[in-house]
Amino acid sequence: MDAAETLRALFTSGAASDPYPHYAKLLASGECYPLPAWSSAFAVGYAAIESVLRDPLFEVLGATGLDQSFPAWREHPSMSKNAVNDLNGSDHTRVRGLMSRAFSHRRVAGLEPAIAATTASLLEDMAVRGAAGEPVDFMRRFAYQLPVTVICDLIGIPVADRETFRPLATDLVVGLIGQRRPKEDALALADAATVRLNEYFTALADDRRRQPRDDLISVLVQIRDAGDGRLSDAEFLDNLNVLIVAGFVTTVNLLGNGLALLLADPATRTAVRHGDVSPAAFVEEVLRYEAPVQLGIRRAAADTEVGGIPVSAGSAVMLLIGAGNRDPRRFASPDRFDPRRPDAGSLSFGGGPHYCLGAALARLEATVAFSLLLDRFPAIAAAGEARRVPGPAFRGFEFLPVRIS
Ligand code: HEM
């Protein structure tokens, strides 16, 4: 199989269940590959991916990219492109500066008691459900619950509203990235959810205008109301919606991937539980070994090159983050899970100007979750076959049954 065939196989077959042999093949003979049939290049090496992420000549697709690939996008509310992850240049710097306030060291650290309390109550719920040796689905009962609760706390969504809010947020996420639906159905679902979420956030903003609180929505409302051009209405709404998507999918997968590794590796489980390996180091290696977001994408704003491969203006470069994390030029024995590795690190939160805004929050959630979980359920074990998220973009589980006693 040549490189082009390996790349196609990654995107077209069941390779998602184990992409790593494909990555290894690609990494063995290069940093970057052209795939002219898809008018793209694929960066697979750590250095190539990092250089693209840091180079301002490579932009996120945003409105310009969609005008090229899907000109009807403006008719779809869910495809609105004013969130921080869709902006380039000075617009990106301006909006990111505002959003960063929600993720300051102080604010993230301040969420720790709430994260610990939510974790404890979810573990209690699992304990009740699994008391008689019944299998409990860790994804449904824990991994989906914790990040959603945390993002609601961060934005400032009142507990009383969460029953209404949650199905809308789920529809948005399933619509945008659910790989088990026909594309048109998925988009219609995401569009309808976006319209209702925008109505919900507009009403909540009115409420916070009258009675500000110490939450993200109050901060953003004040900035928008200043009317000095720092934040438009569309930016206000799109950024709240993107946090839901970012908060729902990625940390969920980090939690599932981490638990699956603990279930498969009793020695690591004991080491983390007894503090021989810190939960933070464990989480860092889970991020490297099983990147929740496997793919990134950039668009070249001008003719350039990556890893010696010419890239023409307007064409896309796919970043195989999951491959970069297993690059033997960057990591010794990259296919070995080793939370004690001296060359720790990864591309899992991206890099450069779009580096993940929620990285510290995700790390904190996972660290708290795994320490409390191992304390509470030292004998946790797999209880049957798990099911992986389909497709090459995300790495995680839809279903991960465990037995806790
Ligand atoms: C394990 C969990 C997470 C992973 C693996 C992850 C991964 C990433 C990656 C790879 C990027 C860069 C995308 C690119 O460069 O194109 C990114 C950006 C971003 N992430 Fe995360 N993320 C996680 C958790 C979160 C959480 C919890 C939030 C918010 C609550 C969040 C909010 C964002 C935002 C707003 C951006 C865009 C930043 C920008 O464009 O300037 N992420 N994330």
Side-chain angles (χ1 to χ4, degrees):
M1 214 190 263
D2 67 10
E5 281 171 60
T6 307
L7 284 168
R8 275 197 205 94
L10 263 176
F11 285 83
T12 52
S13 74
S17 62
D18 186 8
Y20 298 111
H22 297 276
Y23 292 161
K25 222 179 278 171
L26 293 165
L27 284 162
S29 40
E31 280 277 323
C32 189
Y33 295 92
L35 195 55
W38 294 2
S39 69
S40 312
F42 284 74
V44 297
Y46 190 100
I49 296 172
E50 197 177 40
S51 74
V52 171
L53 287 170
R54 291 196 170 163
D55 184 346
L57 207 60
F58 289 102
E59 300 188 331
V60 295
L61 304 190
T64 317
L66 271 183
D67 281 339
Q68 241 174 295
S69 60
F70 186 53
W73 69 274
R74 285 190 173 81
E75 293 156 25
H76 295 280
S78 66
M79 299 188 88
S80 187
K81 292 284 153 208
N82 304 289
V84 60
N85 57 312
D86 287 317
L87 298 173
N88 288 298
S90 58
D91 285 336
H92 175 254
T93 311
R94 170 176 55 82
V95 173
R96 186 167 167 113
L98 302 175
M99 297 290 289
S100 301
R101 298 184 193 184
F103 298 96
S104 68
H105 182 69
R106 180 188 67 84
R107 207 173 266 276
V108 170
L111 287 170
E112 182 163 359
I115 294 172
T118 305
T119 301
S121 99
L122 293 172
L123 294 176
E124 177 57 26
D125 177 64
M126 282 178 67
V128 171
R129 288 174 191 279
E134 285 297 298
V136 181
D137 177 12
F138 176 74
M139 299 315 294
R140 175 158 182 215
R141 299 296 171 196
F142 190 93
Y144 283 110
Q145 309 290 334
L146 178 64
V148 175
T149 308
V150 172
I151 200 72
C152 287
D153 289 344
L154 182 91
I155 293 177
I157 293 162
V159 174
D161 291 357
R162 292 188 190 175
E163 289 305 307
T164 335
F165 169 81
R166 191 181 279 261
L168 293 179
T170 306
D171 280 359
L172 175 64
V173 172
V174 170
L176 286 183
I177 59 165
Q179 290 104 329
R180 293 194 193 276
R181 282 169 184 267
K183 247 194 178 126
E184 299 74 39
D185 292 3
L187 200 50
L189 189 71
D191 285 345
T194 304
V195 170
R196 291 197 50 206
L197 282 167
N198 286 349
E199 286 164 5
Y200 173 75
F201 282 132
T202 304
L204 188 59
D206 285 343
D207 195 63
R208 290 298 192 277
R209 193 171 284 120
R210 286 190 295 273
Q211 280 179 311
R213 295 199 195 158
D214 185 23
D215 55 29
L216 174 66
I217 193 155
S218 298
V219 173
L220 292 183
V221 165
Q222 277 173 19
I223 296 169
R224 188 190 59 171
D225 286 359
D228 53 8
R230 276 185 298 160
L231 191 69
S232 69
D233 271 2
E235 286 165 351
F236 172 76
L237 293 172
D238 286 5
N239 277 297
L240 291 171
N241 288 333
V242 89
L243 286 188
I244 295 168
V245 179
F248 262 55
V249 206
T250 51
T251 314
V252 174
N253 289 335
L254 169 59
L255 294 170
N257 293 340
L259 186 66
L261 286 159
L262 287 171
L263 296 175
D265 180 355
T268 298
R269 196 160 73 205
T270 309
V272 176
R273 193 166 153 244
H274 295 308
D276 300 331
V277 164
S278 74
F282 168 71
V283 166
E284 228 36 54
E285 179 68 345
V286 176
L287 282 161
R288 181 194 74 84
Y289 193 76
E290 294 274 43
V293 178
Q294 293 271 308
L295 287 180
I297 184 164
R298 289 294 187 271
R299 180 184 166 278
D303 289 349
T304 180
E305 60 87 34
V306 184
I309 304 293
V311 178
S312 55
S315 62
V317 179
M318 303 295 294
L319 310 173
L320 301 195
I321 290 173
N325 283 354
R326 301 282 189 112
D327 186 344
R329 293 173 283 262
R330 166 67 177 79
F331 300 102
S333 307
D335 293 323
R336 199 179 69 226
F337 182 81
D338 177 8
R340 294 185 175 91
R341 63 172 54 250
D343 51 4
S346 77
L347 295 164
S348 292
F349 290 120
H354 291 274
Y355 183 78
C356 177
L357 266 175
L361 182 60
R363 285 183 166 119
L364 179 64
E365 282 179 54
T367 306
V368 169
F370 289 121
S371 3
L372 296 186
L373 183 138
L374 287 178
D375 269 357
R376 179 83 203 250
F377 304 135
I380 192 165
E385 192 125 342
R387 189 174 64 240
R388 280 206 169 273
V389 170
F394 299 100
R395 181 116 181 117
F397 292 91
E398 288 180 335
F399 178 62
L400 184 58
V402 294
R403 202 161 272 120
I404 53 172
S405 59

